[in-house]
Amino acid sequence: MGALRVWRWVSGTWRPGFGAGVRRRDAGFGTEARRRPQPQASSKSKDPAEDQPFPGLLRTENLGVEELVDVLKAAVVDQKGPLVTLNKPQGLPVTGRPGELTLLSVLPQLSQALGLGHGELQVVRAPGKEASGLVLLSGCPQTASRLQKFFAHSRRSQRPTATYCAITDGIPEPSEGTVSVALKLERMDGIDLAVPVASPSRKDILEGVKRTLSHFHVMATGCGCALVQLQPLTEVTSQIHRLWERGQSFLVRKNSWLLTHLSVFPSQLQVHMALQLCPVLGDHTYAARVGTVLGQRFLWPATTTKPQTQVLDEALLKRLRLSPSQVAQMPLHLHLQRLLLPGTRSRDPPSELLAPVPSYFSRTLQCLRLSQK
């Protein structure tokens, strides 16, 4: 994705430092999104194309334990002693209820498959269920602690260590900048959703409201969509995760890493892109907050908007070669592509880990003629 950009604080916002060029605005933004009518029942036989799975998507929920371990073993991108880095498939939850197939539930079998013996792997860093990308695992508590101190220090110093890439429906304007907003998790119809909070008070902060910050940079544009680089800079506290795991307190007790080891507020990047009126492709939760009238986009109130299948216009569907039923299966196009790790010695520069994007992500890039630089 290229070198990290240098940012400086100017007039209450982050801006690129000297030598960091800014791309010109793309005039192609503003494709109208129309709500597609629901198909009516028919006695005619259904088109087989309507039942086709989403191209290039691995359905991890259809795998058994041994199959998932084989997939994760093949997804290892780096292994140095007790530190293992793998490229997590989209849709695989890191944790879950007892009996559910998750990354944590198969760590003992994965440790054996990787030849780590009885060393117990623990999660150091991981993207959420709906995102794909780099996961850090460690079988050494000292190594895990050192990495967490590095990540915490980097967040306090406002130095991003994680770089995501996303494909958005719409092109952010301007093409480079920062999104900063306070968020809280609010229970709506049995689901915890991230909701913006205007001017949060001290009491709000104590009750779980978090000020979130993300840098974004448009890398390429095409067909009314954009390839966007995203770098979150939000430190998540235990109050946030207690809200996130509401009704699942047993998970918090059993998986204490949840309280400290995730570096992004739940759904932060999806919410930030929706606030830019450019939801991430495959976001069936927050894209509904973006409406369109006469080709102009606007935000619906977050507290009154329910999740639904993302609506894409006919031209984009044709470009992506997707049927309407496949849109409902479209995975979130959000990938943790790069992580910075501390050097061997304190004065050494950080090392870099990279993970290739999934097959479905590559297919979408090709269909939209978006090229990564």
Side-chain angles (χ1 to χ4, degrees):
M1 296 291 293
L4 289 175
R5 289 181 170 271
V6 178
W7 295 80
R8 55 194 177 100
W9 186 258
V10 179
S11 301
T13 185
W14 284 95
R15 298 183 182 278
F18 297 107
V22 178
R23 298 168 60 90
R24 292 185 300 174
R25 297 187 178 186
D26 190 304
F29 173 73
T31 55
E32 181 179 358
R34 296 185 294 275
R35 296 185 181 276
R36 300 180 60 83
Q38 295 297 319
Q40 301 295 320
S42 173
S43 59
K44 295 182 180 180
S45 60
K46 196 172 184 179
D47 185 350
E50 296 292 316
D51 292 325
Q52 291 179 357
F54 194 89
L57 176 62
L58 172 67
R59 292 288 187 183
T60 57
E61 65 269 22
N62 297 330
L63 302 178
V65 173
E66 293 183 359
E67 293 172 319
L68 179 57
V69 170
D70 288 341
V71 167
L72 295 177
K73 182 179 178 182
V76 171
V77 295
D78 190 68
Q79 182 176 357
K80 294 179 180 177
L83 186 62
V84 177
T85 310
L86 59 85
N87 193 1
K88 185 185 81 70
Q90 188 276 342
L92 175 65
V94 178
T95 186
R97 295 181 180 275
E100 291 181 350
L101 191 61
T102 66
L103 176 61
L104 281 177
S105 72
V106 299
L107 284 184
Q109 296 92 327
L110 182 61
S111 299
Q112 293 292 329
L114 295 177
L116 298 179
H118 299 287
E120 184 177 351
L121 284 172
Q122 67 180 91
V123 179
V124 180
R125 186 115 183 212
K129 173 185 175 180
E130 299 304 323
S132 59
L134 289 166
V135 172
L136 284 181
L137 304 172
S138 177
C140 173
Q142 291 78 14
T143 299
S145 176
R146 176 171 173 263
L147 289 169
Q148 289 303 330
K149 289 179 181 178
F150 170 75
F151 293 138
H153 177 72
S154 297
R155 286 194 294 269
R156 288 193 297 268
S157 304
Q158 297 289 283
R159 293 197 301 267
T161 56
T163 299
Y164 289 75
C165 59
I167 302 177
T168 61
D169 176 23
I171 302 171
E173 290 280 355
S175 60
E176 189 166 4
T178 298
V179 181
S180 180
V181 63
L183 295 175
K184 68 175 180 179
L185 287 173
E186 186 168 310
R187 196 76 167 177
M188 298 171 62
D189 293 335
I191 304 174
D192 284 331
L193 298 176
V195 176
V197 178
S199 304
S201 64
R202 183 176 180 181
K203 180 181 178 181
D204 291 330
I205 300 298
L206 292 175
E207 292 180 350
V209 175
K210 191 66 179 177
R211 293 186 177 94
T212 63
L213 177 71
S214 299
H215 299 319
F216 68 89
H217 172 63
V218 176
M219 305 296 290
T221 63
C223 306
C225 297
L227 174 63
V228 183
Q229 174 184 286
L230 296 165
Q231 294 176 320
L233 277 170
T234 301
E235 183 174 4
V236 177
T237 62
S238 59
Q239 292 96 328
I240 291 296
H241 286 295
R242 279 195 286 268
L243 287 173
W244 190 17
E245 297 295 331
R246 185 184 299 165
Q248 301 183 34
S249 58
F250 62 91
L251 290 180
V252 177
R253 291 194 299 270
K254 289 186 177 181
N255 304 304
S256 60
W257 67 270
L258 270 175
L259 301 181
T260 55
H261 294 176
L262 293 177
S263 62
V264 184
F265 187 100
S267 304
Q268 171 181 328
L269 297 177
Q270 296 98 291
V271 174
H272 284 187
M273 285 296 93
L275 290 173
Q276 293 296 108
L277 304 178
C278 300
V280 179
L281 280 182
D283 184 356
H284 306 299
T285 303
Y286 298 100
R289 295 180 181 178
V290 181
T292 307
V293 173
L294 299 177
Q296 297 299 315
R297 296 190 177 188
F298 65 93
L299 287 173
W300 290 105
T303 55
T304 61
T305 306
K306 297 182 180 181
Q308 67 176 27
T309 299
Q310 188 175 26
V311 177
L312 302 177
D313 64 27
E314 294 180 5
L316 183 54
L317 284 177
K318 184 177 181 181
R319 174 67 67 176
L320 293 174
R321 302 194 297 277
L322 297 177
S323 67
S325 66
Q326 287 176 315
V327 175
Q329 305 175 42
M330 177 181 284
L332 186 70
H333 284 58
L334 179 66
H335 179 72
L336 177 49
Q337 187 175 41
R338 180 175 63 184
L339 276 177
L340 295 183
L341 301 182
T344 305
R345 296 171 297 184
S346 59
R347 294 185 178 182
D348 291 343
S351 59
E352 183 181 74
L353 289 171
L354 297 171
V357 297
S359 297
Y360 66 85
F361 200 113
S362 295
R363 177 187 181 277
T364 301
L365 289 174
Q366 293 173 359
C367 290
L368 299 177
R369 297 180 182 177
L370 298 172
S371 59
Q372 293 180 276
K373 298 179 181 180

